[in-house]
Amino acid sequence: MANIRFTVNGKASNVDTEANRPLLEVLREDLGLTGTKYGCGEGQCGACTVLVDGRPTLSCITPARAVQDHKVVTIEGLARNGALHPVQQAFVDEGAVQCGYCTPGMILTAHALLEHNDTPTRQEIVEAISGNICRCTGYGQIVEAVEYAAERLRQTNLPRKPKGDRAIESAVDALSEAAPGGRR
Ligand code: FES
Ligand code: FES
């Protein structure tokens, strides 16, 4: 057994578990974060994608001990103040959700792409989501949703965040939360 301390969706978590247990199991079974999906369990489909320190990570093949002292974001961590994240909203608006099984992983992968590239080409989007399989084959709408999300994010009034500057990113988040009406 091992005691794993990490941050999930901005909250400190402390879990006693077998060190080699997949992060996916800890998230779903111990923390109740069932938005992260089990697909293949072999690192082949992307359904289990979460963000670890902002990077898309396959939680089915990531041992829980690997995220000790790291920051994990699951699909449950994107919405703010009851409002969907712009990437989530774009998937809804563009009809990019069919059965929805791939959707959490797709959205987190797209979110990570747009954090570093706010004007991705269609080819860059396709490459970014190439590890996420949609068994409903809704790729056309998914790519369009990511393009739409990029456009919406560019139009936001929030200042763009410099690459990799987490201190400034946190400050922008804090200012947004503190503003009258909170973040939209
Ligand atoms: S469930 Fe993790 S990649 Fe398929
Ligand atoms: S929407 Fe069904 S697997 Fe992608």
Side-chain angles (χ1 to χ4, degrees), residues 47-180:
C48 64
T49 302
V50 297
L51 302 181
V52 177
D53 297 339
R55 288 188 295 277
T57 301
L58 300 174
S59 62
C60 72
I61 55 171
T62 301
R65 62 179 150 71
V67 300
Q68 174 87 316
D69 298 325
H70 289 279
K71 294 179 182 174
V72 175
V73 173
T74 70
I75 193 67
E76 290 91 344
L78 288 193
R80 295 285 176 92
N81 301 324
L84 293 178
H85 185 278
V87 180
Q88 292 175 300
Q89 191 62 55
F91 271 62
V92 173
D93 293 347
E94 292 295 312
V97 181
Q98 295 183 63
C99 79
Y101 208 80
C102 71
T103 308
M106 283 284 188
I107 287 176
L108 288 168
T109 299
H111 174 60
L113 168 69
L114 298 179
E115 280 286 290
H116 295 91
N117 180 358
D118 65 2
T119 52
T121 64
R122 182 159 281 217
Q123 184 60 31
E124 287 172 330
I125 295 170
V126 169
E127 288 173 7
I129 65 169
S130 63
N132 294 78
I133 294 172
C134 176
R135 284 170 288 189
C136 300
T137 67
Y139 295 107
Q141 292 100 319
I142 289 169
V143 170
E144 285 175 7
V146 179
E147 290 177 327
Y148 182 44
E151 188 181 325
R152 291 180 68 155
L153 285 165
R154 286 194 300 270
Q155 290 171 351
T156 182
N157 290 328
L158 286 174
R160 294 303 303 167
K161 293 173 259 187
K163 288 180 182 178
D165 192 330
R166 293 295 169 192
I168 293 177
E169 183 176 341
S170 298
V172 169
D173 282 344
L175 286 169
S176 303
E177 298 286 357

